[in-house]
Amino acid sequence: MNYQEVEERYPTYGDDFEGEPGVGTQDQKPRILLMGLRRSGKSSIQKVVFHKMSPNETLFLESTNKIVKDDINNSSFVQFQIWDFPGQIDFFEPTFDSDMIFGGCGALVFVIDAQDEYLEALTKLNQTVTKAYKVNPRIKFEVFIHKVDGVSDDFKMESQRDIHQRATDDLADAGLDQIHLSFHLTSIYDHSIFEAFSKVVQKLIPQLPTLENLLNILISNSGIEKAFLFDVVSKIYIATDASPVDMQSYELCCDMIDVVIDLSCIYGLQGSTDIAAFDNQSSSLIKLNNSTILYLREVNKFLALVCILREDNFSRQGVIDYNFLCFREAIERVFELRLKQQKSQCLQHDDDFLDGAMVANGRTQMNASDGESVDVIVT
């Protein structure tokens, strides 16, 4: 088995640090399921986060009436599948294959419309989680309390508290209190949906603890207050340091990425559409009026490091740039080691498979000696 076949068989985040995105088959990519009642906002979330649709345009989306599978691999580091399920789906129908749906699932996102009566949604949530957990206990369960735009903070907090309490009580009554549900307040009209999806995607990245540790080392030695490692295309941050995430800071970093990409598209392509707008020359420095600096550096053509620091600490820019180069090299090594480990596991898997095939072949030959004609195909 050659390296290309290995990457097709075992694709994960970071396999293609210096090359193109992985070419793994659809069923082998990490899978995220979007579920919820009809008109809860599932399709709108998908279109806004991953297809750059304007939130106002989502008002004209038709209701989903079948499972929609969407490959998220548009020149992005973050690559997985999103399955958008219609709200009227019945898990107890004979045609519903629970093993196939939930067996290869990495995360299940259940969307609840906070501006509507959510008792029916909570019942559906309990059924969904119970069914999925029995098939695959490793699934990460995420609940998006959606459409919280335009409502008061008190309403948001009360809705989250009530939904959290009812959902956990329902699971406890069913004897499934070991299931952990994560809750997020979201809206497509601000950055909360991007921040929530960032947390979902992070749980599917096996290298996350190492990335977080590298960011902690970087900021502690560079006088940086906050650092995000962003996927440039989706504006999802795949890792950040240990300090709490402030929504306003995250929004500033997202807006900075938009500015860098827009300017790169105008001035960076030099008339050639074959060259990516975001490349190893991409960087940006923005000084705010509160003596804070936003500093962006390209990690690779899919990832960007965005830092927030005080203007006084930026006087040591040479030290910061040197530490960044060390950080970028360390990330490259992390993903290289990960890929080597996967290739080793793949080769071991093939050896085990061939050993089993040889044993099966030997048994078939013994049976054939009784006078029967048997054809053996080993794939």
Side-chain angles (χ1 to χ4, degrees):
M1 176 175 288
N2 57 36
Y3 280 178
Q4 182 178 358
E5 290 172 333
V6 173
E7 292 175 359
E8 290 177 353
R9 195 168 194 174
Y10 296 96
T12 59
Y13 300 106
D15 286 357
D16 309 279
F17 188 87
E18 293 296 341
E20 294 298 325
V23 291
T25 59
Q26 292 180 353
D27 292 338
Q28 294 161 341
K29 292 181 180 178
R31 185 189 307 164
I32 297 177
L33 307 184
L34 268 179
M35 294 186 169
L37 297 183
R38 296 179 72 254
R39 312 306 301 177
S40 59
K42 305 183 296 297
S43 299
S44 300
I45 291 173
Q46 177 185 348
K47 294 296 184 181
V48 169
V49 175
F50 299 106
H51 296 280
K52 305 306 176 188
M53 179 178 284
S54 168
N56 293 327
E57 294 178 15
T58 63
L59 298 173
F60 305 102
L61 289 176
E62 296 182 359
S63 181
T64 304
N65 54 18
K66 64 179 181 179
I67 299 177
V68 178
K69 301 178 182 179
D70 189 13
D71 246 355
I72 307 301
N73 59 356
N74 51 347
S75 301
S76 173
F77 176 79
V78 176
Q79 296 189 30
F80 48 82
Q81 271 193 314
I82 289 186
W83 289 18
D84 184 4
F85 284 76
Q88 66 272 19
I89 193 168
D90 185 2
F91 297 114
F92 300 100
E93 286 186 358
T95 56
F96 187 83
D97 190 348
S98 299
D99 293 337
M100 188 277 292
I101 297 295
F102 299 122
C105 174
L108 192 156
V109 177
F110 195 93
V111 183
I112 297 178
D113 185 349
Q115 297 186 15
D116 197 3
E117 291 292 334
Y118 46 74
L119 293 181
E120 182 183 355
L122 288 172
T123 301
K124 189 77 170 183
L125 170 64
N126 183 265
Q127 294 175 349
T128 304
V129 171
T130 302
K131 193 81 171 180
Y133 184 80
K134 290 180 180 178
V135 175
N136 183 3
R138 297 185 300 274
I139 294 179
K140 310 297 183 183
F141 295 104
E142 313 287 334
V143 180
F144 285 6
I145 304 172
H146 196 48
K147 301 183 182 179
V148 295
D149 48 277
V151 300
S152 65
D153 291 339
D154 291 340
F155 178 84
K156 294 179 183 179
M157 295 299 106
E158 179 61 26
S159 298
Q160 183 175 16
R161 185 201 64 78
D162 188 40
I163 291 174
H164 183 284
Q165 186 66 44
R166 291 175 182 269
T168 52
D169 287 347
D170 289 343
L171 289 175
D173 293 341
L176 297 172
D177 49 358
Q178 72 273 23
I179 298 178
H180 175 71
L181 302 178
S182 299
F183 295 85
H184 312 269
L185 294 169
T186 60
S187 169
I188 59 174
Y189 291 95
D190 56 33
H191 289 81
S192 60
I193 190 61
F194 293 93
E195 203 265 346
F197 242 105
S198 296
K199 295 183 180 299
V200 174
V201 171
Q202 288 170 22
K203 296 179 181 180
L204 303 180
I205 301 178
Q207 304 96 335
L208 179 63
T210 303
L211 297 177
E212 291 179 344
N213 188 41
L214 290 174
L215 287 169
N216 289 333
I217 295 173
L218 173 67
I219 66 171
S220 64
N221 290 279
S222 306
I224 297 172
E225 295 187 358
K226 188 66 181 174
F228 295 93
L229 189 60
F230 272 95
D231 174 73
V232 176
V233 175
S234 64
K235 291 189 297 186
I236 286 176
Y237 69 93
I238 66 169
T240 186
D241 58 88
S243 61
V245 176
D246 176 62
M247 182 57 68
Q248 185 177 8
S249 299
Y250 173 67
E251 291 176 357
L252 285 173
C253 294
C254 288
D255 293 341
M256 183 182 194
I257 290 178
D258 286 336
V259 170
V260 171
I261 296 300
D262 290 343
L263 291 177
S264 297
C265 289
I266 296 172
Y267 299 106
L269 293 180
Q270 299 177 350
S272 174
T273 58
D274 296 332
I275 304 175
F278 187 80
D279 55 29
N280 57 7
Q281 300 299 318
S282 297
S283 64
S284 179
L285 175 66
I286 297 178
K287 294 184 179 180
L288 306 180
N289 56 11
N290 59 353
S291 299
T292 300
I293 285 181
L294 302 179
Y295 190 40
L296 180 148
R297 290 292 302 268
E298 181 262 1
V299 177
N300 66 21
K301 61 183 178 180
F302 308 125
L303 300 177
L305 177 72
V306 183
C307 304
I308 302 174
L309 67 160
R310 307 300 299 177
E311 189 173 353
D312 295 341
N313 294 333
F314 197 71
S315 59
R316 303 187 305 156
Q317 183 179 355
V319 174
I320 296 175
D321 289 340
Y322 176 79
N323 289 341
F324 167 76
L325 294 177
C326 296
F327 170 79
R328 183 166 63 182
E329 181 181 354
I331 288 186
E332 183 176 356
R333 291 181 61 190
V334 167
F335 293 139
E336 286 177 350
L337 290 173
R338 176 69 181 178
L339 182 55
K340 288 180 180 179
Q341 180 183 7
Q342 290 171 344
K343 291 173 180 176
S344 175
Q345 292 174 349
C346 179
L347 294 174
Q348 180 64 40
H349 177 273
D350 289 341
D351 289 342
D352 295 341
F353 174 78
L354 290 175
D355 290 342
M358 291 174 63
V359 172
N361 190 14
R363 286 198 298 265
T364 305
Q365 290 175 347
M366 292 175 62
N367 293 334
S369 64
D370 295 335
E372 300 177 0
S373 176
V374 179
D375 292 331
V376 178
I377 300 177
V378 178
T379 58

